[in-house]
Amino acid sequence: MKSMMTSLLLAALAAAALPASAETVVIVSQKNPATRMFSEQAAQFFLGKSTMFTPIDQAEGSAIRTEFYHKVADKDAAQVKAIWSKLEFTGKGTPPKEYHSDAEVRKAVAADPKAIGYISKAAVDDSVKVILTLP
């Protein structure tokens, strides 16, 4: 009985030690008229299929970027890079500008009414508007 309790306690502690996945949100400037968006729509902007918004990306290799593209487009980093390489090569697009933190992305999006970006929900302030929360 004691060893079973010890095992359960160790399992609970191990689960608690895992980092909780922070919610990711898609943001636009307060000056942007958009109020909400579906994942499929967000994917269009971040994969160069629409130029209605100017996408702002997180740093290549960052956990939030990997999670974002997986959730909105079911694509991994190599697939996203291949899409943008093809668009660049054919002259049909330029990859999104990358920033290295939620704060930098938030600042860039807040400053440009056409910009769209994604950050951790905890990093949202009143300079930007959340239009999509990823599950």
Side-chain angles (χ1 to χ4, degrees):
M1 179 76 167
K2 186 176 179 183
S3 66
M4 190 167 99
M5 292 295 281
T6 303
S7 296
L8 286 172
L9 180 61
L10 288 174
L13 289 172
L18 295 173
S21 178
E23 261 187 315
T24 301
V25 294
V26 176
I27 57 169
V28 294
S29 166
Q30 286 288 358
K31 296 178 181 121
N32 188 306
T35 57
R36 64 183 180 165
M37 177 177 292
F38 295 107
S39 293
E40 298 80 15
Q41 293 168 305
Q44 290 179 353
F45 305 119
F46 285 92
L47 296 176
K49 295 179 182 175
S50 174
T51 57
M52 187 172 153
F53 289 92
T54 305
I56 304 289
D57 229 337
Q58 294 272 0
E60 189 173 353
S62 65
I64 190 169
R65 181 170 169 162
T66 301
E67 182 182 355
F68 173 77
Y69 281 103
H70 176 71
K71 285 184 176 180
V72 301
D74 197 25
K75 305 254 183 257
D76 65 26
Q79 291 170 311
V80 172
K81 192 169 190 147
I83 289 167
W84 279 109
S85 293
K86 182 178 177 182
L87 289 170
E88 266 190 305
F89 182 75
T90 59
K92 294 180 180 172
T94 304
K97 186 165 180 163
E98 291 180 27
Y99 290 89
H100 295 281
S101 70
D102 284 345
E104 289 178 6
V105 170
R106 185 183 62 230
K107 184 177 177 184
V109 169
D112 181 356
K114 280 196 71 179
I116 185 170
Y118 56 94
I119 61 175
S120 300
K121 188 174 186 176
V124 172
D125 66 15
D126 60 4
S127 69
V128 294
K129 185 171 28 172
V130 173
I131 59 169
L132 172 66
T133 301
L134 298 173

